[in-house]
């Protein structure tokens, strides 16, 4: 319209500038930007509502056998794709600032969904509580009393036989909750691929009037969803770890941590654990997409090795070991390691498995050391750690703190090997030279003694003609 006025008055003085100055301009750009901003907010509100509804209704079931991700993720990605496509169809000049505003809003919605997706607990929910340190050899008072006070004649060996019978014909033990975690992991991978496509659409659209100079100047790839990509990768690590520890310490717990080496190493080898793990890993490969299998198997490898070490170091009061058991333990660990070589082939490199195995192998090597060497190593490391130059006669070594990880040079780890060593020298050293958590041990022994006394009283009552059922006996003890 201004151009028409200029053409009509071009023969006039000053080319009609006076008339043009009298014309009140209409702020087209301002109105357009305001309307476009309202449209973006409306689309983002739809996305937030979708995430809110997903928090109430999502069950983490796959859409189909071929689409093994959550339905809410498909809805969210369809909405974001439609928003971007409709954005570029609006007949206005689109600037880089407008794209940044749209991308920032979409990223916030995606991050909220990822946070919801990653809210699945943690490995700490499944790790068993470490029992207090105490002497676990067969001659210790706690071990003798524990056997005598077993309720209604139930012994650890009998429990082990029951578990062994269940392991003869193993079947996949992966629970529905763990399978849902696999679907979460697939969903995160689905988000990664679609966010990459969105990024490409925003970056290469010919509709954009101006481009960020930094984006054109540097060869490094620019992403509008950098924070969302980082959140998704962190969520993948978290969900994989949680699923792995749930699989090992909950789904496989009866066969693995609750059963392995109960009643002696020779009579309770790792073969049933291997069979169950194989079937669980086969189910995993049928559920997880190819892109997510490597990370999941890596975390299961770590969880399995940690469970194996906890059997050796935190299995009181039902486990004790001789030095002669070392070769069988080492052989079992090699069998455990081979299963991950097999299932990780093509997705998980052998170097990754070997790296995780090295951490455990150092601790397992302590099982083959003589008791004299373990006592010497423990004394030296403990004195160095606490700044003690020499311990006099009758002076006890302090209790080493828990470090949160097992290590062959960690005094707490060495002490646990000694606590599980079944010989008199280890028992004598622990009793005379180490300040074990006497309060914790006292209460454990007190509970066992009280259980033993109660059992005897019940047996006396039964002998006097008072009937006591087996279930009542177990409950009272």
């Amino acid at each position: 319209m201004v151009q028409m006025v200029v053409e009509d008055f071009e023969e006039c003085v000053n080319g009609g500038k006076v008339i043009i100055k009298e014309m009140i301009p209409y702020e087209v750009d301002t109105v357009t930007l305001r309307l476009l901003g309202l449209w973006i907010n409306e689309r983002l509100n739809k996305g937030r509502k979708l995430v809110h509804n997903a928090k109430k209704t999502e069950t983490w079931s796959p859409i189909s056998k071929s689409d093994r991700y959550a339905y809410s993720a498909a809805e969210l990605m369809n909405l974001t794709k439609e928003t971007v496509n409709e954005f570029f169809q609006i007949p206005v000049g689109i600037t880089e600032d407008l794209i940044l505003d749209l991308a920032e809003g979409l990223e916030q919605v995606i991050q909220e969904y990822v946070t919801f997706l990653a809210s699945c607990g943690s490995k700490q929910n499944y790790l068993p509580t470490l029992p207090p340190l105490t002497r676990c050899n067969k001659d210790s008072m706690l071990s003798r009393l524990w056997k005598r006070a077993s309720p209604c004649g139930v012994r650890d060996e009998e429990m082990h036989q029951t578990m062994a019978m269940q392991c003869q014909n193993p079947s996949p033990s992966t629970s529905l909750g763990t399978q849902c975690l696999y679907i979460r992991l697939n969903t995160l991978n689905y988000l990664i691929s679609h966010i990459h496509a969105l990024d490409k659409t925003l970056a290469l659209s010919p509709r954009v009037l101006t481009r960020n100079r930094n984006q054109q100047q540097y060869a490094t790839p620019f992403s509008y969803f950098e924070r969302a990509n980082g959140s998704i990768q962190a969520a993948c690590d978290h969900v994989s770890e949680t699923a792995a520890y749930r699989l090992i310490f909950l789904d496989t717990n009866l066969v693995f941590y609750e059963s392995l080496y109960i009643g002696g190493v020779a009579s309770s080898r790792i073969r049933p654990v291997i069979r169950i793990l194989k079937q669980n890993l086969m189910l995993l490969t049928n559920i997880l997409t190819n892109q997510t299998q490597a990370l999941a198997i890596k975390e299961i490898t770590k969880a399995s090795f940690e469970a194996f070490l906890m059997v050796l170091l935190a299995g009181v009061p039902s486990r004790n070991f001789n030095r002669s058991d070392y070769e069988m333990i080492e052989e079992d660990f090699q069998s455990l390691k081979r299963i991950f070589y097999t299932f990780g082939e093509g997705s998980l490199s052998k170097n990754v498995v070997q790296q995780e195995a090295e951490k455990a192998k150092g601790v397992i090597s302590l099982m083959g050391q003589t008791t004299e060497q373990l006592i010497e190593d423990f004394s030296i490391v403990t004195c160095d750690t606490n700044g003690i130059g020499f311990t006099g006669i009758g002076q006890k070594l302090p209790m080493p703190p828990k470090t949160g990880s097992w290590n062959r040079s960690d005094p707490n780890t060495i002490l646990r090997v000694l606590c599980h060593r079944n010989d008199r020298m280890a028992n004598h050293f622990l009793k005379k030279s180490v300040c074990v958590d006497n309060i914790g041990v006292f209460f454990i022994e007190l509970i066992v003694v009280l259980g033993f006394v109660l059992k005897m009283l019940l047996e006396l009552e039964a002998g006097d003609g008072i009937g006591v059922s087996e279930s009542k006996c177990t409950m009272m003890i």
Side-chain angles (χ1 to χ4, degrees):
M1 292 176 65
V2 173
Q3 184 63 30
M4 289 171 59
V5 171
V6 170
E7 292 176 355
D8 288 343
F9 291 93
E10 62 181 359
E11 297 180 357
C12 298
V13 180
N14 297 325
K17 290 182 178 180
V18 176
I19 298 176
I20 293 175
K21 288 180 179 180
E22 293 177 357
M23 296 176 65
I24 300 175
Y26 185 77
E27 300 293 341
V28 178
D29 292 339
T30 302
V31 175
T32 302
L33 289 175
R34 181 176 62 82
L35 294 175
L36 195 56
L38 292 173
W39 180 85
I40 291 175
N41 287 333
E42 180 184 350
R43 301 296 292 186
L44 295 178
N45 285 334
K46 285 186 178 180
R48 296 186 188 101
K49 184 178 180 180
L50 192 152
V51 174
H52 180 73
N53 291 336
K55 292 178 181 180
K56 296 180 178 180
T57 61
E58 183 57 69
T59 60
W60 305 112
S61 300
I63 296 176
S64 64
K65 290 184 178 180
S66 58
D67 299 326
R68 292 169 284 178
Y69 48 83
Y71 180 72
S72 58
E75 284 188 313
L76 180 61
M77 289 297 100
N78 287 337
L79 177 64
T80 55
K81 183 178 178 180
E82 290 174 4
T83 299
V84 170
N85 290 338
E86 292 178 11
F87 175 77
F88 285 118
Q89 291 174 6
I90 298 175
V92 296
I94 297 177
T95 64
E96 180 70 15
D97 291 336
L98 284 174
I99 291 184
L100 290 173
D101 290 342
L102 175 63
E104 183 178 357
L106 292 175
E107 186 176 49
Q108 290 176 356
V109 174
I110 293 172
Q111 282 188 292
E112 183 181 356
Y113 182 78
V114 171
T115 301
F116 158 63
L117 197 155
S119 301
C120 56
S122 69
K123 73 175 187 178
Q124 301 302 329
N125 297 118
Y126 305 105
L127 280 172
T129 303
L130 292 180
L133 282 171
T134 187
R135 301 184 299 280
C136 301
N137 69 307
K138 293 181 180 179
D139 297 327
S140 69
M141 182 180 74
L142 178 59
S143 295
R144 293 197 302 269
L145 288 175
W146 187 275
K147 288 183 179 181
R148 295 186 67 185
S150 296
C152 301
V154 178
R155 299 289 189 264
D156 285 339
E157 288 79 5
E158 295 173 0
M159 294 176 63
H160 166 60
Q161 291 175 3
T162 302
M163 293 177 184
M165 291 178 62
Q166 296 177 357
C167 297
Q168 293 301 319
N169 299 307
S171 59
S173 61
T174 306
S175 64
L176 181 60
T178 304
Q179 295 180 44
C180 288
L181 291 176
Y182 294 163
I183 299 302
R184 290 181 188 237
L185 198 55
N186 284 343
T187 303
L188 287 168
N189 182 72
Y190 171 81
L191 293 178
I192 290 174
S193 61
H194 280 69
I195 288 176
H196 177 73
L198 286 175
D199 234 340
K200 193 172 181 180
T201 301
L202 293 175
L204 301 180
S205 175
R207 289 287 319 281
V208 183
L209 299 178
T210 58
R211 283 289 179 190
N212 192 320
R213 292 183 179 180
N214 293 331
Q215 187 176 340
Q216 297 175 347
Q217 182 178 355
Y218 300 109
T220 54
F222 174 82
S223 174
Y224 290 100
F225 302 99
E226 186 174 354
R227 287 177 296 179
N229 286 326
S231 299
I232 292 174
Q233 188 56 56
C236 286
D237 296 338
H238 175 72
V239 174
S240 296
E241 181 183 68
T242 304
Y245 278 78
R246 180 185 170 94
L247 177 69
I248 298 301
F249 287 99
L250 180 66
D251 301 343
T252 321
N253 190 54
L254 178 64
V255 182
F256 203 157
Y257 182 69
E258 292 285 343
S259 179
L260 184 62
Y261 300 152
I262 296 290
V265 174
S267 61
S268 178
R269 300 295 294 274
I270 203 171
R271 185 173 296 176
V273 179
I274 297 297
R275 278 185 274 186
I276 289 289
L277 271 178
K278 282 182 177 179
Q279 298 205 23
N280 286 335
L281 288 172
M282 288 178 64
L283 180 62
L284 176 147
T285 55
N286 289 331
I287 297 176
L288 287 178
T289 59
N290 294 334
Q291 295 83 355
T292 57
Q293 288 180 17
L295 180 59
I297 295 176
K298 176 185 175 181
E299 293 298 332
I300 293 174
T301 303
K302 293 168 62 176
S304 299
F305 291 169
E306 183 165 356
F308 190 84
L309 293 183
M310 289 189 70
V311 167
L312 303 179
L313 304 174
V316 295
S318 53
R319 292 182 177 96
N320 51 71
F321 303 98
N322 300 308
R323 186 190 174 197
S324 58
D325 294 330
Y326 169 69
E327 290 186 2
M328 289 184 289
I329 293 172
E330 174 65 22
E331 183 180 336
D332 283 350
F333 182 71
Q334 293 301 324
S335 299
L336 182 63
K337 187 169 66 172
R338 278 195 296 272
I339 189 176
F340 296 108
Y341 282 147
T342 303
F343 278 90
E345 189 176 4
S347 59
L348 189 67
S349 68
K350 288 187 176 182
N351 291 335
V352 175
V353 178
Q354 188 63 31
Q355 184 179 359
E356 296 298 330
E358 286 298 325
K359 302 174 186 177
K361 195 173 180 179
V363 177
I364 295 172
S365 66
L366 294 174
M367 307 295 292
Q369 291 187 0
T370 64
T371 302
E372 295 90 335
Q373 185 64 51
L374 288 172
I375 292 173
E376 181 181 351
D377 292 347
F378 173 73
S379 302
I380 292 173
V381 174
T382 303
C383 289
D384 290 344
T385 303
N386 293 274
I388 303 173
F390 176 76
T391 54
I393 299 176
Q395 183 180 357
K396 290 191 174 184
L397 293 169
M399 168 69 73
K402 299 176 184 177
T403 59
S405 61
W406 310 120
N407 189 293
R408 65 163 295 146
S409 59
D410 169 43
N412 188 274
T413 302
I414 300 173
L415 180 60
R416 287 182 177 274
V417 175
L418 282 169
C419 286
H420 286 76
R421 180 61 62 91
N422 183 33
D423 64 34
R424 292 183 178 180
M425 180 180 292
N427 186 36
H428 179 77
F429 173 75
L430 294 170
K431 186 175 181 180
K432 301 297 183 182
S433 303
V434 183
C435 293
V436 185
D437 186 4
N438 292 321
I439 296 178
V441 174
F442 169 76
F443 277 111
I444 290 177
E445 294 182 347
L446 178 62
I447 291 171
V448 173
V449 171
L450 289 176
F452 174 70
V453 172
L454 181 57
K455 178 189 174 186
M456 297 300 294
L457 290 174
L458 290 171
E459 288 176 351
L460 288 174
E461 284 185 331
D464 292 337
I466 303 175
V468 182
S469 66
E470 182 175 334
S471 60
K472 181 180 178 183
C473 170
T474 304
M475 180 184 68
M476 292 180 69
I477 291 183

